Amino acid sequence: MQFRSINPFTGQIIGTYTSHDQNDADQIINLVYGEFMNWKSQSIIYRAKLLRSVADILLGNIDYYSASITLEMGKVIRESRAEVEKCARCCMYYSDNAGKMLHNEPLVVSHGNAYIRQEPLGVILAVMPWNFPFWQVFRFAAPALMAGNTCLLKHASNVPRCAMDIEQIFIKAGYPANAFRTLLISSGQVEHVIDHPKVAAVTLTGSELAGSQVASAAGRNLKKSVLELGGSDPFIVLEDADIEKAAETAVKARMINTGQSCIAAKRFIIQKSVANNFTKRFIECLSGMQYGDPMQTETDYGTLARPDLAREIAVQVRNSIDKGARVLYGKLPETIDSAYFPPMILTDLKPGMPANDEEIFGPVACFYFVETAQEAVEVS
C-alpha cells in the first residue's frame, strides 16, 4: 500500500510514500519505547536546547515548510507561513517555560517532606488531522517531548509529505532518531497501535466518530486519552455591535483555511434589527475575496483539501435545501469534479437539516435571525 500526496488545486501527484504494515509499526513502536528509557533521563536544559533548535529550523526554512503545507492540502500560502511561525513560537514557549512547569511542587505535611513530581508517561500516540498539518503536530509534540515522553505520529493519509517533513525536523534539530517517529498507517491500524503494551497514551484531533473509536480503544486498555473533536461555533451579532467590523470579522472567521477549521465561526446568529446591514456587508466582504492558486500571495482562499470533502459538503447543503433551507448567497454546483467548493450562505435552518445539525467543514455560513439577545443564546 502507498500513500499519495496530491495537490488539491491542480490534482497532480506530488509524491508517493510506502506504508507501514503491522510488523513495521510494531518495530517502530519498540524502537520509540526503547528511546523513551533514555530520553526520560535527559535534563530539561538539554531537551529545551533541542526544542529551541526545532524553532530555528522552522523559521530558517519557512519557505519550504509553508510550501509543503500549501501544495499538499491547499491552504493559502499566507496562512501556511503563519502556521509554521506559530509552530516555532510554540516550541520557543515550551523551551522557555517547561522547566518551571515540571519543577517539583512542595507540599506542606505534618511529618517529613513531600512534593509533587511530574513524571513522563512513555510513548504517546498522536492521531492528527490534515487541516493544520504542522500546528496540530507541534502543539502536541513540543510539550510531550519536553516532559520526557517519546512520540508516535499517525498523520492524516493525505498529508504524508508534511508528516515526514516533521519527523526530519526533529532529527535535524539533534533529537535521537527514535524520539519522534511517523507511522504511515491506515485508520484501521490505529486500534492495534493503541492496544500495543508499549504505547502509554493517545491524543486525537478529528471527527466525533474517530474520537469515539479512539476513546473506546484507550478506555479498554486503561490508557489516558485527550480528544479535540469537531464543533459548530456560534457567532452572535446584537444590535449594539459595530456592524461593519462584525461583518468583516465574521467573514474572516468563516473563511479561515477555506472554512476547514474546528474553531472557525460557522453559525451566525444575528439580531433582526441589524440583520439587513450585517448581511449586506457580510456578502460584500465575502464576494470581495479572491479565489485562486493558493501559492500566490494575493489569493484569499483555494480549494478544499480533497475532492471527497467537497462532495460531502455538497450532500449536506443539498439535503438541507431539499428540507427547506434557503440560499442567501452562492450557488450549489450541479456536480463536484474537483476539490473546489464555492462560498455559500444558508438560512431558514431548522432541526433535521444537516446544515443545522452537523458541522459543515468548508466555506458555508449558516445564518439565524433572532429578536432578542436571550433568543440568540437559546439558539446558540
Side-chain angles (χ1 to χ4, degrees):
M1 177 182 171
Q2 289 188 324
F3 288 94
R4 295 193 304 170
S5 176
I6 300 174
N7 183 329
F9 182 71
T10 65
Q12 295 177 333
I13 297 176
I14 300 169
T16 58
Y17 300 80
T18 302
S19 64
H20 296 129
D21 61 23
Q22 187 166 310
N23 289 332
D24 295 330
D26 286 343
Q27 284 187 331
I28 293 172
I29 293 169
N30 288 331
L31 289 170
V32 174
Y33 179 79
E35 183 55 50
F36 166 67
M37 305 308 290
N38 169 64
W39 180 249
K40 70 177 182 178
S41 66
Q42 298 294 331
S43 70
I44 293 292
I45 294 174
Y46 177 68
R47 296 180 207 159
K49 178 182 177 182
L50 295 188
L51 193 58
R52 175 63 67 159
S53 295
V54 169
D56 293 340
I57 290 170
L58 286 166
L59 295 177
N61 299 275
I62 190 170
D63 290 341
Y64 173 81
Y65 294 127
S66 57
S68 281
I69 295 171
T70 294
L71 290 172
E72 193 161 54
M73 62 73 54
K75 188 192 306 286
V76 296
I77 193 66
R78 294 195 313 273
E79 294 181 358
S80 294
R81 289 184 66 88
E83 182 172 341
V84 176
E85 290 171 351
K86 188 176 182 181
C87 292
R89 292 197 302 272
C90 175
C91 292
M92 293 176 189
Y93 175 81
Y94 284 106
S95 175
D96 292 342
N97 294 286
K100 292 175 283 188
M101 297 175 182
L102 297 170
H103 193 270
N104 293 340
E105 181 181 340
L107 291 175
V108 177
V109 294
S110 57
H111 300 285
N113 298 314
Y115 58 89
I116 298 173
R117 179 174 175 173
Q118 309 292 339
E119 291 285 345
L121 293 173
V123 178
I124 312 298
L125 168 67
V127 182
M128 294 288 101
W130 46 262
N131 59 331
F132 290 89
F134 266 54
W135 167 245
Q136 295 285 359
V137 177
F138 279 96
R139 75 168 189 172
F140 130 78
L145 288 166
M146 280 302 303
N149 302 289
T150 49
C151 300
L152 290 168
L153 170 64
K154 188 283 179 209
H155 219 324
S157 60
N158 61 321
V159 288
R161 171 173 166 165
C162 287
M164 298 310 299
D165 280 348
I166 293 169
E167 180 177 289
Q168 287 302 308
I169 288 170
F170 286 106
I171 292 173
K172 290 176 183 177
Y175 280 80
N178 293 302
F180 181 101
R181 291 291 301 272
T182 288
L183 293 174
L184 293 175
I185 60 176
S186 68
S187 297
Q189 294 171 269
V190 169
E191 186 173 350
H192 170 78
V193 178
I194 297 173
D195 289 342
H196 197 289
K198 291 181 179 176
V199 172
V202 58
T203 179
L204 171 140
T205 298
S207 68
E208 293 179 4
L209 175 60
S212 66
Q213 292 171 339
V214 165
S216 176
R220 186 178 64 249
N221 286 280
L222 299 179
K223 295 180 180 180
K224 294 182 182 296
S225 64
V226 175
L227 310 175
E228 184 212 330
L229 308 180
S232 193
D233 295 330
F235 187 112
I236 298 176
V237 182
L238 302 180
E239 59 188 2
D240 61 346
D242 180 331
I243 299 304
E244 182 166 336
K245 185 175 181 180
E248 293 169 359
T249 303
V251 171
K252 292 178 182 178
R254 174 65 282 203
M255 292 298 292
I256 182 175
N257 203 19
T258 315
Q260 302 166 111
S261 173
C262 299
I263 60 172
K266 299 181 177 75
R267 296 182 299 122
F268 298 88
I269 304 167
I270 309 139
Q271 200 162 3
K272 289 181 179 179
S273 56
V274 294
N276 288 339
N277 289 340
F278 177 86
T279 301
K280 179 182 177 182
R281 184 57 185 152
F282 188 101
I283 291 174
E284 288 174 350
C285 293
L286 188 58
S287 60
M289 297 191 77
Q290 182 170 329
Y291 168 77
D293 183 349
M295 287 296 292
Q296 301 300 315
T297 56
E298 64 270 18
T299 298
D300 294 313
Y301 70 98
T303 63
L304 301 184
R306 301 192 310 263
D308 63 293
L309 299 170
R311 289 191 289 269
E312 182 179 329
I313 293 175
V315 170
Q316 290 176 298
V317 171
R318 186 176 296 112
N319 289 346
S320 298
I321 293 172
D322 290 344
K323 294 182 177 182
R326 181 165 56 93
V327 178
L328 277 181
Y329 175 84
K331 183 179 179 181
L332 180 65
E334 292 184 6
T335 59
I336 300 290
D337 54 9
S338 72
Y340 174 72
F341 193 90
M344 295 185 70
I345 302 173
L346 298 179
T347 191
D348 293 348
L349 299 164
K350 297 177 177 60
M353 299 177 180
N356 181 83
D357 299 347
E358 303 169 5
E359 178 183 29
I360 297 184
F361 214 60
V364 178
C366 296
F367 276 26
Y368 299 79
F369 302 114
V370 296
E371 295 286 354
T372 65
Q374 180 60 37
E375 187 182 355
V377 172
E378 293 170 357
V379 170
S380 69

